[in-house]
C-alpha cells in the first residue's frame, strides 16, 4: 500500500536531510506569540492569535511551496535553504490564489453552518412550548446538516494535493486543483489510508497545542470554592521557566512532526501522481 510504503521513504529522507525539521519548527514560531500571550491574558492571547492567523494566510503559501520543494529534492538527494527560498518564491502566486479560493469556500460553509444552527435552534425554541413536537422537521434539518458536512469534507479530501501538484508537477493554480482531484479519484483507497495517517498526526499536534494552552492559561480560583474543589480545578502555576520549557518542547515536537509529514506527503504524492507519457 502506497500510504505505508511512503512512511519508509519519508523516514530515510528526513534522516538524510534533518534541515526539514528546522524549517518546520520555524513555522511553529508564528503560533507561539499568541500562546505565550495567553499565559498572561486570555483576551490578549486571542487578539494576538487572530493577528498572526491573518498573517499566516500570506505566509503559508510561501512556506508550503518552499518545504514541499525541499522535500521533493530531499527524496533524491541533499536539499538546502536555497531550495526553500527558490520554490517558495516560484510557486507563491499560484498557491496564494488557491489558498484564498479555499478560504472563501470555508467561509461559505461556515456561514451556512451558522445559519443552519440558528434556524434549527429557532425551530426547537418555537416548538418547545407545544404539547406535541414533530420529529420530521428536525430530521430534515439534521440530514441537510450532514450533507453540508460531507460536502465540506469531500472538498478538503479531493483538493489536499493541490500544493504538491503545483510545486512538484510545476502546474498553475487551476491545473493544480484539477490534478489533485484526479489523483484522489484514481487512488481512493490509498489516499483514504494516507488521510487517516495524516489526520492522526494532526490530532497529536492539536492535542499538544491544547495542552500547552491549558497549562499556560492563568486561572483564578472562585472565592466560594472550598479548598478541596479549588485544588482539584486549579492548574499548577508553571512560572516563567515552565512556560519557556513547554515552549521549547512544543517547537521541537512541531518541527519533528512537521518535517516528517512534509516528506511523507511528498513521497506519497510522487507514488500516485500521473506519469507523463
Amino acid at each position: 500500500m502506497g500510504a505505508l510504503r511512503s512512511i519508509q521513504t519519508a523516514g530515510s529522507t528526513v534522516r538524510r536531510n534533518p534541515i526539514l525539521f528546522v524549517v518546520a519548527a520555524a513555522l511553529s514560531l508564528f503560533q507561539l506569540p499568541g500562546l505565550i500571550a495567553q499565559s498572561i491574558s486570555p483576551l490578549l492571547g486571542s487578539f494576538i492569535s487572530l493577528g498572526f492567523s491573518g498573517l499566516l494566510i500570506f505566509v503559508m503559501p510561501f512556506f508550503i511551496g518552499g518545504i514541499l520543494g525541499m522535500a521533493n529534492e530531499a527524496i533524491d538527494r541533499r536539499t538546502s535553504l536555497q531550495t526553500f527560498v527558490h520554490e517558495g518564491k516560484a510557486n507563491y502566486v499560484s498557491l496564494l490564489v488557491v489558498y484564498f479560493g479555499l478560504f472563501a469556500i470555508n467561509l461559505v460553509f461556515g456561514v451556512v453552518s451558522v445559519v443552519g444552527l440558528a434556524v434549527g435552534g429557532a425551530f426547537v425554541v418555537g416548538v418547545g412550548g407545544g404539547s406535541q413536537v414533530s420529529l420530521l422537521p428536525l430530521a430534515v434539518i439534521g440530514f441537510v446538516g450532514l450533507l453540508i458536512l460531507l460536502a465540506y469534507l469531500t472538498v478538503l479530501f479531493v483538493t489536499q494535493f493541490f500544493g504538491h501538484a503545483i510545486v512538484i508537477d510545476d502546474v498553475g493554480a487551476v491545473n493544480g486543483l484539477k490534478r489533485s482531484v484526479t489523483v484522489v479519484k484514481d487512488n481512493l483507497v490509498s489516499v483514504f489510508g494516507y488521510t487517516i495517517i495524516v489526520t492522526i498526526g494532526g490530532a497529536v499536534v492539536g492535542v499538544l497545542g491544547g495542552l500547552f494552552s491549558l497549562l499556560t492559561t492563568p486561572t483564578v480560583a472562585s472565592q466560594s470554592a472550598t479548598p478541596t474543589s479549588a485544588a482539584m480545578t486549579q492548574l499548577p502555576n508553571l512560572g516563567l521557566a515552565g512556560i519557556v520549557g513547554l515552549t521549547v518542547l512544543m517547537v521541537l515536537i512541531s518541527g519533528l512532526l512537521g518535517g516528517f509529514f512534509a516528506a511523507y506527503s511528498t513521497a506519497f504524492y510522487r507514488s500516485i501522481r500521473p506519469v507523463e507519457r
Side-chain angles (χ1 to χ4, degrees):
M1 186 176 179
L4 297 178
R5 288 196 301 269
S6 297
I7 293 178
Q8 182 177 1
T9 302
S12 60
T13 296
V14 294
R15 282 196 299 269
R16 291 194 309 269
N17 297 272
I19 192 173
L20 289 172
F21 296 137
V22 178
V23 174
L27 179 67
S28 66
L29 297 177
F30 280 89
Q31 302 172 352
L32 290 179
L35 293 174
I36 295 175
Q38 188 172 345
S39 66
I40 302 173
S41 168
L43 182 61
L44 176 63
S46 298
F47 278 112
I48 293 180
S49 296
L50 183 62
F52 274 90
S53 296
L55 180 61
L56 274 176
I57 294 178
F58 297 95
V59 172
M60 281 301 294
F62 181 85
F63 173 82
I64 293 298
I67 198 167
L68 289 182
M70 288 182 70
N72 187 46
E73 183 177 64
I75 291 176
D76 300 317
R77 53 187 180 276
R78 293 276 186 175
T79 189
S80 66
L81 288 176
Q82 284 80 5
T83 300
F84 176 81
V85 175
H86 176 268
E87 294 294 336
K89 292 168 59 177
N91 299 286
Y92 182 78
V93 174
S94 294
L95 290 171
L96 183 65
V97 169
V98 179
Y99 258 87
F100 271 115
L102 294 178
F103 176 77
I105 292 175
N106 288 334
L107 189 62
V108 169
F109 275 111
V111 171
V112 171
S113 299
V114 170
V115 172
L117 288 174
V119 172
F123 174 80
V124 172
V125 172
V127 301
S131 58
Q132 293 183 347
V133 178
S134 174
L135 295 180
L136 180 59
L138 289 177
V140 172
I141 293 174
F143 180 71
V144 172
L146 180 60
L147 289 180
I148 294 174
L149 176 61
L150 289 176
Y152 175 69
L153 293 177
T154 300
V155 171
L156 294 182
F157 183 70
V158 301
T159 61
Q160 61 181 308
F161 296 110
F162 75 88
H164 301 76
I166 291 173
V167 175
I168 298 173
D169 295 332
D170 194 25
V171 297
V174 175
N175 288 331
L177 286 171
K178 289 181 178 179
R179 181 156 297 191
S180 178
V181 173
T182 299
V183 297
V184 170
K185 180 185 64 175
D186 294 341
N187 302 273
L188 280 177
V189 176
S190 294
V191 173
F192 185 72
Y194 161 85
T195 303
I196 292 176
I197 295 174
V198 172
T199 300
I200 293 173
V204 171
V205 176
V207 169
L208 291 174
L211 288 175
F212 182 93
S213 178
L214 185 64
L215 291 173
T216 57
T217 299
T219 58
V220 179
S222 173
Q223 294 181 355
S224 62
T226 64
T228 302
S229 62
M232 293 176 62
T233 57
Q234 232 183 343
L235 295 173
N237 184 9
L238 297 178
L240 180 60
I243 292 175
V244 171
L246 280 177
T247 300
V248 173
L249 181 62
M250 184 72 179
V251 171
L252 289 176
I253 294 176
S254 298
L256 290 173
L257 292 177
F260 175 81
F261 278 105
Y264 174 57
S265 65
T266 302
F268 178 73
Y269 177 77
R270 286 174 47 144
S271 71
I272 63 171
R273 63 194 288 253
V275 178
E276 300 291 343
R277 295 181 180 179

mmCIF file of all heavy atoms in Angstrom, residues 79-102:
data_model
loop_
_atom_site.group_PDB
_atom_site.id
_atom_site.type_symbol
_atom_site.label_atom_id
_atom_site.label_comp_id
_atom_site.label_asym_id
_atom_site.label_seq_id
_atom_site.Cartn_x
_atom_site.Cartn_y
_atom_site.Cartn_z
ATOM 1 N N THR A 79 19.134 18.528 0.219
ATOM 2 C CA THR A 79 18.444 19.771 -0.070
ATOM 3 C C THR A 79 18.995 20.887 0.796
ATOM 4 O O THR A 79 19.823 20.648 1.681
ATOM 5 C CB THR A 79 16.923 19.622 0.157
ATOM 6 O OG1 THR A 79 16.256 20.778 -0.334
ATOM 7 C CG2 THR A 79 16.606 19.436 1.634
ATOM 8 N N SER A 80 18.537 22.103 0.577
ATOM 9 C CA SER A 80 19.102 23.250 1.292
ATOM 10 C C SER A 80 18.061 24.349 1.416
ATOM 11 O O SER A 80 16.986 24.296 0.807
ATOM 12 C CB SER A 80 20.332 23.783 0.551
ATOM 13 O OG SER A 80 19.952 24.311 -0.713
ATOM 14 N N LEU A 81 18.404 25.384 2.185
ATOM 15 C CA LEU A 81 17.520 26.529 2.349
ATOM 16 C C LEU A 81 17.365 27.317 1.058
ATOM 17 O O LEU A 81 16.361 28.001 0.865
ATOM 18 C CB LEU A 81 18.048 27.447 3.454
ATOM 19 C CG LEU A 81 17.918 26.910 4.885
ATOM 20 C CD1 LEU A 81 18.560 27.888 5.861
ATOM 21 C CD2 LEU A 81 16.460 26.675 5.247
ATOM 22 N N GLN A 82 18.361 27.234 0.178
ATOM 23 C CA GLN A 82 18.244 27.908 -1.109
ATOM 24 C C GLN A 82 17.053 27.356 -1.896
ATOM 25 O O GLN A 82 16.327 28.106 -2.569
ATOM 26 C CB GLN A 82 19.532 27.735 -1.930
ATOM 27 C CG GLN A 82 20.688 28.600 -1.474
ATOM 28 C CD GLN A 82 21.397 28.025 -0.255
ATOM 29 O OE1 GLN A 82 21.080 26.924 0.190
ATOM 30 N NE2 GLN A 82 22.374 28.763 0.268
ATOM 31 N N THR A 83 16.846 26.046 -1.804
ATOM 32 C CA THR A 83 15.691 25.437 -2.468
ATOM 33 C C THR A 83 14.404 25.934 -1.847
ATOM 34 O O THR A 83 13.421 26.205 -2.559
ATOM 35 C CB THR A 83 15.768 23.907 -2.360
ATOM 36 O OG1 THR A 83 16.966 23.446 -2.989
ATOM 37 C CG2 THR A 83 14.563 23.253 -3.021
ATOM 38 N N PHE A 84 14.392 26.077 -0.532
ATOM 39 C CA PHE A 84 13.204 26.578 0.161
ATOM 40 C C PHE A 84 12.824 27.962 -0.348
ATOM 41 O O PHE A 84 11.661 28.216 -0.686
ATOM 42 C CB PHE A 84 13.471 26.628 1.667
ATOM 43 C CG PHE A 84 12.346 27.226 2.466
ATOM 44 C CD1 PHE A 84 11.242 26.469 2.795
ATOM 45 C CD2 PHE A 84 12.407 28.548 2.889
ATOM 46 C CE1 PHE A 84 10.192 27.013 3.530
ATOM 47 C CE2 PHE A 84 11.372 29.106 3.628
ATOM 48 C CZ PHE A 84 10.257 28.332 3.945
ATOM 49 N N VAL A 85 13.794 28.852 -0.431
ATOM 50 C CA VAL A 85 13.524 30.217 -0.880
ATOM 51 C C VAL A 85 13.094 30.227 -2.346
ATOM 52 O O VAL A 85 12.126 30.904 -2.728
ATOM 53 C CB VAL A 85 14.753 31.104 -0.669
ATOM 54 C CG1 VAL A 85 14.524 32.499 -1.256
ATOM 55 C CG2 VAL A 85 15.088 31.209 0.814
ATOM 56 N N HIS A 86 13.804 29.470 -3.175
ATOM 57 C CA HIS A 86 13.504 29.460 -4.608
ATOM 58 C C HIS A 86 12.104 28.914 -4.881
ATOM 59 O O HIS A 86 11.311 29.523 -5.628
ATOM 60 C CB HIS A 86 14.539 28.611 -5.354
ATOM 61 C CG HIS A 86 14.253 28.467 -6.824
ATOM 62 N ND1 HIS A 86 13.513 27.408 -7.322
ATOM 63 C CD2 HIS A 86 14.571 29.249 -7.886
ATOM 64 C CE1 HIS A 86 13.412 27.540 -8.636
ATOM 65 N NE2 HIS A 86 14.037 28.642 -8.999
ATOM 66 N N GLU A 87 11.771 27.769 -4.287
ATOM 67 C CA GLU A 87 10.464 27.159 -4.538
ATOM 68 C C GLU A 87 9.340 27.990 -3.915
ATOM 69 O O GLU A 87 8.239 28.074 -4.467
ATOM 70 C CB GLU A 87 10.432 25.728 -3.980
ATOM 71 C CG GLU A 87 11.364 24.771 -4.681
ATOM 72 C CD GLU A 87 10.968 24.519 -6.119
ATOM 73 O OE1 GLU A 87 9.778 24.689 -6.450
ATOM 74 O OE2 GLU A 87 11.836 24.148 -6.924
ATOM 75 N N GLY A 88 9.613 28.600 -2.771
ATOM 76 C CA GLY A 88 8.604 29.447 -2.154
ATOM 77 C C GLY A 88 8.254 30.635 -3.019
ATOM 78 O O GLY A 88 7.071 30.979 -3.178
ATOM 79 N N LYS A 89 9.267 31.268 -3.603
ATOM 80 C CA LYS A 89 9.034 32.425 -4.465
ATOM 81 C C LYS A 89 8.405 32.011 -5.789
ATOM 82 O O LYS A 89 7.483 32.671 -6.287
ATOM 83 C CB LYS A 89 10.355 33.156 -4.715
ATOM 84 C CG LYS A 89 10.925 33.843 -3.490
ATOM 85 C CD LYS A 89 12.363 34.301 -3.707
ATOM 86 C CE LYS A 89 12.487 35.264 -4.861
ATOM 87 N NZ LYS A 89 13.879 35.747 -5.019
ATOM 88 N N ALA A 90 8.878 30.914 -6.362
ATOM 89 C CA ALA A 90 8.417 30.500 -7.690
ATOM 90 C C ALA A 90 6.946 30.092 -7.697
ATOM 91 O O ALA A 90 6.249 30.275 -8.702
ATOM 92 C CB ALA A 90 9.288 29.350 -8.204
ATOM 93 N N ASN A 91 6.462 29.522 -6.584
ATOM 94 C CA ASN A 91 5.090 28.999 -6.553
ATOM 95 C C ASN A 91 4.149 29.825 -5.689
ATOM 96 O O ASN A 91 3.008 29.419 -5.456
ATOM 97 C CB ASN A 91 5.114 27.558 -6.026
ATOM 98 C CG ASN A 91 5.929 26.626 -6.899
ATOM 99 O OD1 ASN A 91 5.516 26.243 -7.980
ATOM 100 N ND2 ASN A 91 7.112 26.267 -6.418
ATOM 101 N N TYR A 92 4.623 30.982 -5.225
ATOM 102 C CA TYR A 92 3.843 31.755 -4.255
ATOM 103 C C TYR A 92 2.490 32.204 -4.808
ATOM 104 O O TYR A 92 1.454 32.027 -4.158
ATOM 105 C CB TYR A 92 4.642 32.968 -3.791
ATOM 106 C CG TYR A 92 3.918 33.796 -2.756
ATOM 107 C CD1 TYR A 92 3.870 33.374 -1.432
ATOM 108 C CD2 TYR A 92 3.266 34.976 -3.098
ATOM 109 C CE1 TYR A 92 3.201 34.111 -0.475
ATOM 110 C CE2 TYR A 92 2.592 35.721 -2.141
ATOM 111 C CZ TYR A 92 2.563 35.291 -0.836
ATOM 112 O OH TYR A 92 1.882 36.018 0.110
ATOM 113 N N VAL A 93 2.479 32.772 -5.975
ATOM 114 C CA VAL A 93 1.239 33.337 -6.523
ATOM 115 C C VAL A 93 0.191 32.246 -6.733
ATOM 116 O O VAL A 93 -0.974 32.398 -6.339
ATOM 117 C CB VAL A 93 1.509 34.088 -7.842
ATOM 118 C CG1 VAL A 93 0.194 34.545 -8.465
ATOM 119 C CG2 VAL A 93 2.423 35.283 -7.597
ATOM 120 N N SER A 94 0.576 31.137 -7.338
ATOM 121 C CA SER A 94 -0.372 30.051 -7.591
ATOM 122 C C SER A 94 -0.937 29.499 -6.293
ATOM 123 O O SER A 94 -2.151 29.271 -6.170
ATOM 124 C CB SER A 94 0.305 28.925 -8.379
ATOM 125 O OG SER A 94 0.665 29.363 -9.672
ATOM 126 N N LEU A 95 -0.064 29.289 -5.301
ATOM 127 C CA LEU A 95 -0.519 28.762 -4.019
ATOM 128 C C LEU A 95 -1.403 29.765 -3.284
ATOM 129 O O LEU A 95 -2.395 29.387 -2.651
ATOM 130 C CB LEU A 95 0.686 28.396 -3.151
ATOM 131 C CG LEU A 95 1.496 27.182 -3.620
ATOM 132 C CD1 LEU A 95 2.782 27.050 -2.819
ATOM 133 C CD2 LEU A 95 0.678 25.904 -3.501
ATOM 134 N N LEU A 96 -1.065 31.045 -3.392
ATOM 135 C CA LEU A 96 -1.874 32.074 -2.725
ATOM 136 C C LEU A 96 -3.271 32.140 -3.319
ATOM 137 O O LEU A 96 -4.261 32.280 -2.581
ATOM 138 C CB LEU A 96 -1.185 33.432 -2.844
ATOM 139 C CG LEU A 96 -1.872 34.602 -2.122
ATOM 140 C CD1 LEU A 96 -1.867 34.371 -0.614
ATOM 141 C CD2 LEU A 96 -1.182 35.922 -2.472
ATOM 142 N N VAL A 97 -3.375 32.025 -4.628
ATOM 143 C CA VAL A 97 -4.679 32.051 -5.290
ATOM 144 C C VAL A 97 -5.556 30.902 -4.796
ATOM 145 O O VAL A 97 -6.735 31.090 -4.458
ATOM 146 C CB VAL A 97 -4.517 31.977 -6.821
ATOM 147 C CG1 VAL A 97 -5.858 31.723 -7.498
ATOM 148 C CG2 VAL A 97 -3.895 33.262 -7.352
ATOM 149 N N VAL A 98 -4.986 29.708 -4.715
ATOM 150 C CA VAL A 98 -5.761 28.563 -4.247
ATOM 151 C C VAL A 98 -6.125 28.718 -2.777
ATOM 152 O O VAL A 98 -7.245 28.387 -2.362
ATOM 153 C CB VAL A 98 -4.977 27.249 -4.471
ATOM 154 C CG1 VAL A 98 -5.782 26.063 -3.954
ATOM 155 C CG2 VAL A 98 -4.671 27.059 -5.942
ATOM 156 N N TYR A 99 -5.190 29.237 -1.980
ATOM 157 C CA TYR A 99 -5.459 29.433 -0.557
ATOM 158 C C TYR A 99 -6.645 30.368 -0.354
ATOM 159 O O TYR A 99 -7.519 30.110 0.478
ATOM 160 C CB TYR A 99 -4.225 29.976 0.149
ATOM 161 C CG TYR A 99 -3.480 28.913 0.927
ATOM 162 C CD1 TYR A 99 -2.502 28.128 0.308
ATOM 163 C CD2 TYR A 99 -3.759 28.683 2.264
ATOM 164 C CE1 TYR A 99 -1.827 27.147 1.001
ATOM 165 C CE2 TYR A 99 -3.090 27.703 2.970
ATOM 166 C CZ TYR A 99 -2.130 26.939 2.335
ATOM 167 O OH TYR A 99 -1.468 25.964 3.031
ATOM 168 N N PHE A 100 -6.675 31.459 -1.106
ATOM 169 C CA PHE A 100 -7.797 32.388 -0.987
ATOM 170 C C PHE A 100 -9.091 31.745 -1.472
ATOM 171 O O PHE A 100 -10.165 31.988 -0.901
ATOM 172 C CB PHE A 100 -7.510 33.665 -1.780
ATOM 173 C CG PHE A 100 -6.784 34.711 -0.973
ATOM 174 C CD1 PHE A 100 -5.498 35.091 -1.311
ATOM 175 C CD2 PHE A 100 -7.388 35.304 0.124
ATOM 176 C CE1 PHE A 100 -4.820 36.041 -0.566
ATOM 177 C CE2 PHE A 100 -6.722 36.258 0.872
ATOM 178 C CZ PHE A 100 -5.439 36.630 0.535
ATOM 179 N N GLY A 101 -8.993 30.926 -2.519
ATOM 180 C CA GLY A 101 -10.188 30.235 -3.001
ATOM 181 C C GLY A 101 -10.742 29.269 -1.965
ATOM 182 O O GLY A 101 -11.946 29.244 -1.698
ATOM 183 N N LEU A 102 -9.865 28.482 -1.351
ATOM 184 C CA LEU A 102 -10.304 27.545 -0.322
ATOM 185 C C LEU A 102 -10.782 28.277 0.932
ATOM 186 O O LEU A 102 -11.704 27.818 1.615
ATOM 187 C CB LEU A 102 -9.164 26.575 0.022
ATOM 188 C CG LEU A 102 -8.756 25.615 -1.097
ATOM 189 C CD1 LEU A 102 -7.597 24.740 -0.647
ATOM 190 C CD2 LEU A 102 -9.935 24.754 -1.535
#
